[in-house]
Amino acid sequence: MTQDKLHQVALSLIPKIGPSLSRQLINYFSTPQQVFNATKGKLSKIPGVGPKLSALIPNQKELLVKAEKIIEDSIKKGISIHYYKEAHYPKRLMNISDAPILLYSVGKVDLNPPRTIGIVGTRRATKYGLQMTEDIVAQIKPQNASIISGLAYGIDVKAHESALKQQLPTIGAMACGLDKIYPSGNRNTAIKMLENGGLVSEYPIGTEADPRLFPARNRVIAGMSDALIVVEAAKKGGALISANIADSYDIPVFAVPGEIGNTYSEGCNLLIRNMKAAIFTSFQDVVEALNWDVQESTQAKNPELKYKDLQGDEKTIVEVLLKNGQQMHIDKLSWQSQLTMSTLASLLLQMEFAGYIKPLPGKEFRLV
């Protein structure tokens, strides 16, 4: 057990400090260990900390004991712990400001698959909703995308079951520790998921399921998805929370239209009416929005040939994109290319006009 991992876990346990403030503290002090070693005076200078937290943090050394126990128990149960600055942490979550600084996972799960689709919906699914979910996952099969949902009753668990049926990897985001399965009625499905996918949670082992944690869990589903599909939803509920979060992250949202007057169609119809979701007619809608339809072209298989004459910063942009699967968020592209945002935006626009770059939803850019 390293001191780095110990302090990473301990920082995530400090009361009243959420992911955004944790990041701010780490950015200021460089490491979680230095956060714990900071004086009250230094802590009080950080925006958002204030006198109460600056007095609280240095007195949280007992959390190191709790963190040590969490790490030991996690190892025994085959649970991995991923810090947000580590390579195996989900890269998609790096694009959202309130992503957890730690993520726990269990199973044979790839946290950075080439393609991901989130599918969510009501717990009180109709026969139509369940059938639509199964049909959608069958349409996703040729794209070999991982299916992400929340393992809840209804649409969520149907999405996982359909993924298993189609032999697609599937990831369940939990609102409890990974030593527990909630709801318990979906335990058999969860166990099967461990062989082709797995479970993730930002909550340490021993955390009980709590409805107050569900909205935070929903942001993990949204943040790990290339696009989110809402199959059935009422006007209020977790599915709409996930959709609104995805929309705020600039992640494409699709909603399956439903029968007017049906309670569990109202949410989807409302998303479409308010232009927070595109209407879902077939998975081809999603394929076109994400530009997946051109990724298997000859140019995609031999991309270097098209860009061999580019020079300078444009060549740098292409090289960075090629190293990252030909598609990246503009923030990450700016960081890896070492180009300022204004310079990069101008170059991307020029390269778009020249036919080298295609802009995608969510501030993503892809080689053409």
Side-chain angles (χ1 to χ4, degrees), residues 27-335:
N27 289 339
Y28 187 89
F29 291 106
S30 299
T31 68
Q33 186 170 1
Q34 291 182 41
V35 174
F36 277 90
N37 294 333
T39 63
K40 179 180 176 181
K42 287 186 177 180
L43 287 164
S44 63
K45 294 178 182 178
I46 301 180
V49 174
K52 289 185 178 180
L53 283 179
S54 62
L56 176 68
I57 293 172
N59 296 318
Q60 292 294 317
K61 300 295 176 65
E62 69 275 8
L63 286 181
L64 294 173
V65 177
K66 185 176 180 181
E68 185 174 8
K69 183 72 164 61
I70 288 171
I71 294 170
E72 290 175 351
D73 289 347
S74 295
I75 291 172
K76 290 176 183 176
K77 293 182 179 295
I79 297 170
S80 300
I81 306 173
H82 313 280
Y83 180 55
Y84 81 103
K85 289 191 175 184
E86 294 171 339
H88 41 70
Y89 183 89
K91 292 181 174 61
R92 291 171 176 87
L93 289 182
M94 292 296 291
N95 296 326
I96 63 177
S97 62
D98 61 344
I101 65 166
L102 281 183
L103 197 70
Y104 298 83
S105 73
V106 65
K108 298 177 181 177
V109 57
D110 180 1
L111 298 177
N112 290 292
R115 297 174 176 180
T116 61
I117 294 294
I119 300 178
V120 295
T122 179
R123 288 170 170 78
R124 298 179 177 86
T126 66
K127 289 183 179 180
Y128 170 75
L130 296 173
Q131 185 60 56
M132 278 300 304
T133 302
E134 188 168 350
D135 292 347
I136 289 168
V137 175
Q139 292 178 48
I140 294 173
K141 171 66 175 177
Q143 301 294 333
N144 199 33
S146 293
I147 306 299
I148 301 173
S149 196
L151 200 67
Y153 289 123
I155 298 299
D156 287 24
V157 72
K158 187 65 175 180
H160 294 306
E161 290 170 349
S162 300
L164 292 170
K165 180 180 178 181
Q166 296 293 336
Q167 297 182 320
L168 289 172
T170 184
I171 301 170
M174 309 296 289
C176 58
L178 295 182
D179 55 327
K180 306 175 186 300
I181 300 296
Y182 181 85
S184 59
N186 291 338
R187 174 176 293 276
N188 288 340
T189 299
I191 291 172
K192 293 176 183 177
M193 290 167 62
L194 299 181
E195 292 301 313
N196 192 15
L199 307 175
V200 299
S201 175
E202 66 183 287
Y203 303 108
I205 194 168
T207 305
E208 298 288 344
D210 188 326
R212 292 173 295 181
L213 304 181
F214 291 166
R217 180 274 307 271
N218 293 345
R219 88 191 191 289
V220 173
I221 297 173
M224 289 184 68
S225 302
D226 292 332
L228 184 75
I229 302 173
V230 185
V231 179
E232 281 188 319
K235 279 186 177 181
K236 296 181 180 180
L240 251 63
I241 292 173
S242 298
N244 284 314
I245 292 172
D247 179 64
S248 73
Y249 292 160
D250 290 324
I251 292 168
V253 180
F254 293 83
V256 176
E259 180 182 0
I260 294 174
N262 185 319
T263 299
Y264 298 106
S265 295
E266 288 180 345
C268 289
N269 293 341
L270 187 65
L271 287 170
I272 295 168
R273 189 187 74 186
N274 292 341
M275 293 185 288
K276 288 194 172 183
I279 188 170
F280 181 94
T281 60
S282 76
F283 193 69
Q284 185 61 27
D285 301 332
V286 183
V287 169
E288 292 174 1
L290 296 177
N291 207 34
W292 287 356
D293 52 335
V294 301
Q295 292 186 20
E296 301 304 323
S297 66
T298 303
Q299 288 177 356
K301 293 176 182 177
N302 300 286
E304 297 86 351
L305 298 177
K306 181 174 181 180
Y307 313 112
K308 60 184 178 64
D309 295 328
L310 292 177
Q311 302 293 325
D313 289 340
E314 290 186 343
K315 182 179 180 182
T316 299
I317 291 171
V318 168
E319 288 174 347
V320 172
L321 284 165
L322 286 172
K323 289 178 182 178
N324 288 271
Q326 304 185 43
Q327 180 176 323
M328 294 178 73
H329 189 275
I330 190 170
D331 291 343
K332 187 177 178 183
L333 181 55
S334 174
W335 176 68

